[in-house]
Amino acid sequence: MALFIFLAVLNGICISLSRILNGRLGLDRTAITSSYWNHLIGFIFLSLLVLLVNGSSFSLPQNAPLSAYAGGVIGVLFVTINSLVLPKIGAMRTSLLVISGQMLVGVLLTLILLFLKGQTLLYMIWPIAGMILILLGVYLNQQRQANPDA
């Protein structure tokens, strides 16, 4: 378990560094160009990694639904939007808002799954309370930014 916690924290560090570097690249280029170079370099790196791990086997997963490949499109949108937003509102604020969005989607998807399974929403009271606190925190932070003397 400790290894997976370490890897999750390492992943968060990689995501933050990636956001900052892509945002910096977005200052020199457009957000879309930044995203293009990010994914091209990532493709080359990942291809080398697959060759190293799997040899010359590049077969597509046969049982994956077509919708599973939408993650690549969403990844491009994530990097492009991040490259656009980060230089405007800063790394800290961008990171907090991205994490807030991730938590909100996680809670909403869990609520939908529970609803579809016919389970009680009472089970989700704490995640719902957390979601409300996130939204309240984002709102209060925005108010503080808009009125720094208040």
Side-chain angles (χ1 to χ4, degrees):
M1 186 61 127
L3 173 66
F4 293 115
I5 292 172
F6 169 76
L7 289 175
V9 171
L10 181 64
N11 191 32
I13 292 169
C14 288
I15 290 170
S16 294
L17 289 175
S18 174
R19 285 182 193 147
I20 292 168
L21 294 172
N22 288 331
R24 178 64 188 99
L25 188 59
L27 286 174
D28 291 337
R29 308 280 186 254
T30 65
I32 292 175
T33 305
S34 169
S35 180
Y36 169 78
W37 283 108
N38 174 283
H39 286 88
L40 180 64
I41 300 298
F43 172 75
I44 293 168
F45 175 74
L46 186 58
S47 296
L48 293 173
L49 193 62
V50 167
L51 278 173
L52 184 69
V53 173
N54 292 344
S56 60
S57 174
F58 271 99
S59 62
L60 288 173
Q62 298 297 318
N63 298 328
L66 192 59
S67 61
Y69 295 97
V73 174
I74 294 170
V76 168
L77 288 174
F78 169 76
V79 172
T80 303
I81 291 170
N82 187 72
S83 297
L84 183 68
V85 169
L86 191 131
K88 305 289 185 202
I89 65 173
M92 176 80 143
R93 203 168 184 201
T94 300
S95 295
L96 288 174
L97 292 170
V98 167
I99 291 169
S100 297
Q102 290 172 334
M103 293 179 74
L104 291 174
V105 167
V107 170
L108 285 174
L109 289 176
T110 303
L111 287 173
I112 290 169
L113 286 175
L114 286 175
F115 179 76
L116 291 175
K117 289 180 178 178
Q119 295 181 350
T120 176
L121 294 181
L122 202 57
Y123 175 75
M124 293 296 296
I125 193 73
W126 292 114
I128 291 171
M131 191 169 70
I132 291 170
L133 286 174
I134 290 168
L135 291 173
L136 183 63
V138 169
Y139 172 76
L140 290 175
N141 188 38
Q142 184 61 33
Q143 292 301 312
R144 190 178 62 88
Q145 297 280 334
N147 303 315
D149 296 331

